[in-house]
Amino acid sequence: MDRPTALDPKVQSRINELIQPIADDLLSGAAELALRAITIFQSVVANQENDLPQVEQKKAALTFAARGMIDAQPAMAPLFHLGNDLLLAIDSATTNEELAERSNAALSKFENTLCASVATIADISYDLIDPGELIFAYSFSSTVVSCLLNARARGRFFRVVCTEARPSMEGRKLASRLAAGGIEVIHTFDNAMGLVLGNCSAAFMGCDCIARAGVINKVGSWMLAVACRELKVPLYALSGTEKFVTDDRMFEFERHERPGVEVWDSAPKGVAMLNQQFDLVPFDLLAGLVTEKGILKEKDIEPYLANFTVHRALKLEPVEVS
Amino acid sequence: MDRPTALDPKVQSRINELIQPIADDLLSGAAELALRAITIFQSVVANQENDLPQVEQKKAALTFAARGMIDAQPAMAPLFHLGNDLLLAIDSATTNEELAERSNAALSKFENTLCASVATIADISYDLIDPGELIFAYSFSSTVVSCLLNARARGRFFRVVCTEARPSMEGRKLASRLAAGGIEVIHTFDNAMGLVLGNCSAAFMGCDCIARAGVINKVGSWMLAVACRELKVPLYALSGTEKFVTDDRMFEFERHERPGVEVWDSAPKGVAMLNQQFDLVPFDLLAGLVTEKGILKEKDIEPYLANFTVHRALKLEPVEVS
């Protein structure tokens, strides 16, 4: 694996400061984080004039930022694709102007695609919301919020049940956003899913990453999926195809263990904490993956899994066997 | 339905004060609450000399206390049986001495039976704990705690995984008790059950009440049971047969909705809270019901369902159709 041009530690620490809020964010979905990441990349492109006079240094700074964002949220596929698209776009730039132009074009294209995807997914999911029914929604996903608010704005009346999504409680953010948009919300805790799901006509979740084995999303999604199957409630993952990753990246989410004190800040001696943020929902537990390309089933995903080139700086290093 | 002898409102409010801590207790299991209820009944029997000179008044006071405790925790079968056994025992008492003697005998017998049951259940469940394995335990049950501590004291080494049991977090009480008893505990939140259950050799839960349709326990037990079946982990409910109730009493637990602020104390307008405390686990999701009579399956329960007389003051009033 090639090494990027050496980067001034001061520049590194400035970029790390920009990325830190992404690492600390436990309430936003993957698409929302990608939109914030675009702003960070734009700021690295715009503010590097003094520190990074040479085009190779600028490339090194953007590579450093891309890797940092992926490391900050290894489960979030759009952060990977955003960085990857950017690095591929600037790879052959030979002047500062060319680099700035190509960066901005790649970032704008990503943002436009993301927004267009959500609009299409909202159109498709409208038909999955039966009038007058109860819809279950899990965790926080800006795509799910957009779809539900869009359906409400188009005059469909329905209610939403959602749960907390411990430990970060981003389910409360979901409840607040939907209520602010005029949707009647019923809120309870995660272990009460079984009491409410049976009354729902469908369940929606977002997702952070999609690979051959299934979709990765906030921990609890697997429990939701198993309960949905038991109660015969169709569960849909709503997600643009920018969430697909190659198999080697799928288990990167397991690197995202959070501090135990977020679960219990005064645990007694002898009690070890486990604070994993994500779990895997196999495709056979989903009624469908609602994307901008339509509702996909397991048999449809193959073309999306390897439908992109990975920049050499973002390839995962193979395990070395000596 | 007969009316009990009219009771002085002052006596009623004194008894209600004694019962209030039982109503407020969200952390104790059913057997533990029954032991505390015994103390309350003993205090009503002992302290009624001045207020209640006549034996019929004492019966009325004990009837009032029995009904109050059942209303405070309608899902907790041992509170029903304790009150029922007491009222049946004193029914034909004609003097104060006879009433005191019969009360104390009934209360002692209930307590002794409860403790003997737990010891037998601990012996049986010892064989369900494989050496070196991981055991999942849900919510708080004094029976489950006794069984795990007994196994540890007998030299079996194993670890326990438990979750919070939102919203009252009595899973933390479980974790603390087990850790204090020298058992290594891993603790996480409820929606992460799916991440840990697959590594467990068995799962244990207590229960609050047993009827023909299944066992009633802390909400989340149904999710646990469905996940256990999916992951092929045997789930055992550990419970004395004093938890059996008649079918008409089974859904009394649904009366136990708690204030929504216990879930979210600052919910925005438009978000309704649901705070139900219990759910029902059908027998077909259980590997067995571990009682002092052995490990029971669904086919074994019939004799226990109607194995008792219900005192006329504790019969549920049928719906009146006019």
Side-chain angles (χ1 to χ4, degrees), chain A residues 116-232:
Chain A
S117 283
V118 171
T120 309
I121 295 166
D123 273 346
I124 299 173
S125 55
Y126 178 80
D127 294 323
L128 302 173
I129 302 170
D130 290 329
E133 292 290 349
L134 206 51
I135 301 292
F136 189 88
Y138 185 59
S139 182
F140 186 86
S141 150
S142 59
T143 308
V144 170
V145 169
S146 298
C147 291
L148 294 170
L149 292 179
N150 172 68
R152 186 77 198 85
R154 284 174 64 183
R156 186 137 288 181
F157 184 78
F158 56 95
R159 290 178 302 160
V160 171
V161 196
C162 63
T163 66
E164 297 174 324
R166 282 277 292 154
S168 345
M169 304 286 206
E170 68 272 18
R172 292 183 176 177
K173 179 176 167 187
L174 177 73
S176 303
R177 287 274 181 95
L178 296 177
I183 295 175
E184 201 183 318
V185 177
I186 299 163
H187 190 73
T188 189
F189 33 93
D190 301 314
N191 43 354
M193 272 182 199
L195 291 178
V196 293
L197 270 175
N199 297 318
C200 295
S201 63
F204 287 176
M205 62 185 230
C207 79
D208 298 312
C209 137
I210 314 164
R212 197 182 308 268
V215 307
I216 309 293
N217 194 38
K218 166 79 184 202
V219 63
S221 299
W222 182 85
M223 294 285 284
L224 167 66
V226 170
C228 278
R229 187 176 58 185
E230 181 72 13
L231 297 168
K232 300 184 174 48

Side-chain angles (χ1 to χ4, degrees), chain A:
Chain A
M1 193 164 172
D2 68 345
R3 294 253 147 249
T5 304
L7 200 61
D8 181 347
K10 273 190 299 185
V11 177
Q12 292 190 10
S13 84
R14 219 166 301 159
I15 293 174
N16 283 336
E17 272 170 39
L18 290 172
I19 294 172
Q20 194 57 43
I22 298 264
D24 295 338
D25 190 334
L26 300 176
L27 297 180
S28 299
E32 209 177 3
L33 286 178
L35 292 177
R36 289 172 49 197
I38 288 173
T39 316
I40 294 173
F41 281 124
Q42 284 168 334
S43 127
V44 174
V45 171
N47 289 309
Q48 60 186 301
E49 299 306 324
N50 302 326
D51 291 326
L52 308 162
Q54 305 302 320
V55 69
E56 288 311 314
Q57 287 173 305
K58 294 181 196 202
K59 285 184 191 175
L62 288 168
T63 303
F64 182 82
R67 286 178 161 181
M69 280 192 264
I70 295 166
D71 276 350
Q73 293 277 3
M76 304 290 184
L79 291 179
F80 163 77
H81 283 292
L82 174 63
N84 192 46
D85 286 2
L86 177 66
L87 297 188
L88 290 172
I90 63 171
D91 213 23
S92 61
T94 53
T95 68
N96 289 341
E97 293 66 36
E98 198 185 351
L99 181 136
E101 195 179 295
R102 288 186 179 205
S103 295
N104 291 329
L107 296 172
S108 296
K109 187 178 168 206
F110 197 91
E111 183 170 357
N112 292 339
T113 307
L114 215 56
C115 296
S117 283
V118 171
T120 309
I121 295 166
D123 273 346
I124 299 173
S125 55
Y126 178 80
D127 294 323
L128 302 173
I129 302 170
D130 290 329
E133 292 290 349
L134 206 51
I135 301 292
F136 189 88
Y138 185 59
S139 182
F140 186 86
S141 150
S142 59
T143 308
V144 170
V145 169
S146 298
C147 291
L148 294 170
L149 292 179
N150 172 68
R152 186 77 198 85
R154 284 174 64 183
R156 186 137 288 181
F157 184 78
F158 56 95
R159 290 178 302 160
V160 171
V161 196
C162 63
T163 66
E164 297 174 324
R166 282 277 292 154
S168 345
M169 304 286 206
E170 68 272 18
R172 292 183 176 177
K173 179 176 167 187
L174 177 73
S176 303
R177 287 274 181 95
L178 296 177
I183 295 175
E184 201 183 318
V185 177
I186 299 163
H187 190 73
T188 189
F189 33 93
D190 301 314
N191 43 354
M193 272 182 199
L195 291 178
V196 293
L197 270 175
N199 297 318
C200 295
S201 63
F204 287 176
M205 62 185 230
C207 79
D208 298 312
C209 137
I210 314 164
R212 197 182 308 268
V215 307
I216 309 293
N217 194 38
K218 166 79 184 202
V219 63
S221 299
W222 182 85
M223 294 285 284
L224 167 66
V226 170
C228 278
R229 187 176 58 185
E230 181 72 13
L231 297 168
K232 300 184 174 48
V233 179
L235 169 63
Y236 296 96
L238 275 47
S239 165
T241 57
E242 76 283 352
K243 303 277 176 67
F244 277 100
V245 295
T246 47
D247 291 349
D248 62 342
R249 192 164 285 280
M250 184 180 68
F251 288 110
E252 287 292 289
F253 75 92
E254 296 198 331
R255 289 166 45 214
H256 204 254
E257 185 157 8
R258 301 276 317 177
V261 291
E262 289 177 0
V263 182
W264 190 2
D265 59 6
S266 56
K269 199 168 167 292
V271 179
M273 286 302 130
L274 184 75
N275 188 6
Q276 289 280 3
Q277 298 289 312
F278 300 96
D279 60 16
L280 171 71
V281 180
F283 281 108
D284 62 3
L285 291 175
L286 291 177
L289 180 65
V290 185
T291 74
E292 80 281 7
K293 306 288 186 187
I295 302 182
L296 306 182
K297 304 274 188 181
E298 186 166 14
K299 63 176 173 45
D300 308 316
I301 65 164
E302 193 62 36
Y304 298 97
L305 290 172
N307 190 25
F308 48 84
T309 308
V310 178
H311 188 273
R312 66 190 176 283
L314 299 185
K315 288 203 164 119
L316 293 170
E317 298 183 51
V319 177
E320 278 182 40
V321 181
S322 60

Side-chain angles (χ1 to χ4, degrees), chain B residues 28-29 73 76 78 89 114 116 127 191 263 279 287:
Chain B
S28 298
Q73 292 278 3
M76 303 290 184
L114 214 56
D127 294 323
N191 44 354
V263 182
D279 60 17

Side-chain angles (χ1 to χ4, degrees), chain B residues 81-286:
Chain B
H81 283 292
L82 174 64
N84 191 47
D85 286 3
L86 177 66
L87 296 189
L88 290 171
I90 63 172
D91 213 22
S92 61
T94 53
T95 67
N96 289 340
E97 293 67 33
E98 197 184 351
L99 180 135
E101 195 178 293
R102 289 185 178 206
S103 295
N104 291 330
L107 296 172
S108 295
K109 186 178 169 207
F110 197 90
E111 184 170 356
N112 292 340
T113 307
L114 214 56
C115 296
S117 283
V118 172
T120 310
I121 295 166
D123 273 347
I124 299 173
S125 55
Y126 179 80
D127 294 323
L128 303 173
I129 303 170
D130 291 328
E133 292 290 348
L134 205 52
I135 302 291
F136 190 89
Y138 185 58
S139 184
F140 187 86
S141 151
S142 58
T143 308
V144 170
V145 169
S146 298
C147 292
L148 294 171
L149 291 179
N150 171 69
R152 186 77 197 86
R154 284 174 62 184
R156 185 136 291 180
F157 185 78
F158 55 96
R159 290 177 303 160
V160 171
V161 195
C162 64
T163 65
E164 297 174 327
R166 281 279 291 154
S168 341
M169 304 285 205
E170 68 272 18
R172 291 182 177 177
K173 179 176 167 186
L174 177 73
S176 304
R177 288 274 181 93
L178 297 177
I183 296 176
E184 200 182 319
V185 177
I186 299 163
H187 189 74
T188 189
F189 33 91
D190 302 313
N191 44 354
M193 274 181 198
L195 291 178
V196 293
L197 270 175
N199 297 319
C200 296
S201 64
F204 288 176
M205 61 184 229
C207 80
D208 298 312
C209 139
I210 314 164
R212 197 183 307 269
V215 306
I216 309 292
N217 194 39
K218 166 78 184 204
V219 63
S221 299
W222 181 84
M223 294 284 284
L224 167 66
V226 169
C228 279
R229 187 176 60 185
E230 181 72 13
L231 297 169
K232 300 185 174 47
V233 178
L235 169 64
Y236 296 97
L238 276 47
S239 165
T241 57
E242 76 285 349
K243 303 277 177 67
F244 276 100
V245 296
T246 48
D247 292 348
D248 62 342
R249 192 165 285 280
M250 183 181 67
F251 287 109
E252 286 294 288
F253 76 90
E254 295 198 332
R255 290 166 45 216
H256 203 256
E257 185 158 5
R258 301 275 319 176
V261 291
E262 289 177 0
V263 182
W264 189 2
D265 59 6
S266 56
K269 196 166 169 292
V271 179
M273 286 302 130
L274 184 77
N275 188 5
Q276 290 279 3
Q277 297 290 312
F278 301 96
D279 60 17
L280 171 70
V281 180
F283 281 107
D284 62 3
L285 291 176
L286 292 177

